[in-house]
Amino acid sequence: VPAVRAVSMAVGALELSKMKAIVSRRQYVAEMAGIEILCSDKTGSLTQNKLTLGEPALFAAADAQALILAGALASKAEDEDAIDLAVIAGLADAKALAGYTQTGFVPFDPVHKRTEGKIQDKAGKAFRVTKGAPQVVMALARLGGEEEARANRLVDDFAAKGYRTLGVARSDDDGKRWEFLGILPLFDPPREDSKE
């Protein structure tokens, strides 16, 4: 049975290669055969892979730069994540980060759908910031009523225009209560030949 399986997988990989699909591991052929719907992010194929920050939507943040700063503090430039780099690039003054020390960082994962930074400012005050899927961050901040409805409308409006969105929140009591600061829209422009 293992020999038959190996040969059938190799034949499947060969057939896929004729359709310009590269199979890096044979077991993927069997896994793909069981898939009914495949969702794929076409970044770089249909888009220019140049993620840029749009005009932020403010909630509790004092202004757009305060919101972007909070998002940047919940980022890690050295990880070279495209989203983190786009948020950091949105700062009017990159030196704004110099006044803060990141004492801890929780990277994005598909379960929690957000990043979190533990921050200390020059005065020694500690706080936390998070950015991630808007619905997750809104739930974390216990956003409700008209504010939640407004946030959901904004996320839908941004999505209709082709923007990805990130919710941003801050906690001054070690994560017990979160304040929803706003929404950061991210845009990756389509390539000139995308329509074709």
Side-chain angles (χ1 to χ4, degrees), residues 24-172:
S24 58
R25 295 191 180 140
R26 281 196 320 257
Q27 70 264 28
Y28 291 167
V29 176
E31 290 174 11
M32 289 293 288
I35 292 175
E36 291 181 27
I37 298 172
L38 174 66
C39 299
S40 177
D41 180 355
K42 297 300 292 171
T43 299
S45 298
L46 294 177
T47 62
Q48 296 177 22
N49 199 17
K50 294 178 182 174
L51 209 56
T52 54
L53 200 58
E55 189 60 39
L58 303 178
F59 280 72
D63 57 42
Q65 282 301 304
L67 176 58
I68 296 167
L69 177 61
L73 290 170
S75 304
K76 201 164 184 133
E78 52 266 29
D79 289 350
E80 295 188 12
D81 177 82
I83 291 173
D84 286 359
L85 294 176
V87 172
I88 293 168
L91 288 168
D93 182 9
K95 294 176 186 172
L97 293 173
Y100 301 91
T101 305
Q102 198 176 66
T103 59
F105 182 74
V106 179
F108 181 90
D109 69 70
V111 176
H112 298 100
K113 298 181 180 168
R114 65 185 181 92
T115 64
E116 184 177 318
K118 291 182 182 178
I119 310 297
Q120 190 168 24
D121 64 17
K122 282 183 178 177
K125 183 181 178 186
F127 61 95
R128 293 183 185 208
V129 284
T130 188
K131 73 173 183 347
Q135 291 77 7
V136 171
V137 178
M138 286 189 285
L140 187 69
R142 296 188 180 110
L143 205 61
E146 181 51 39
E147 289 287 276
E148 182 182 20
R150 177 178 165 239
N152 284 322
R153 273 195 312 272
L154 285 165
V155 169
D156 290 344
D157 290 347
F158 281 129
K161 295 173 187 168
Y163 285 84
R164 292 179 180 180
T165 50
L166 295 172
V168 181
R170 175 180 169 139
S171 173
D172 291 313

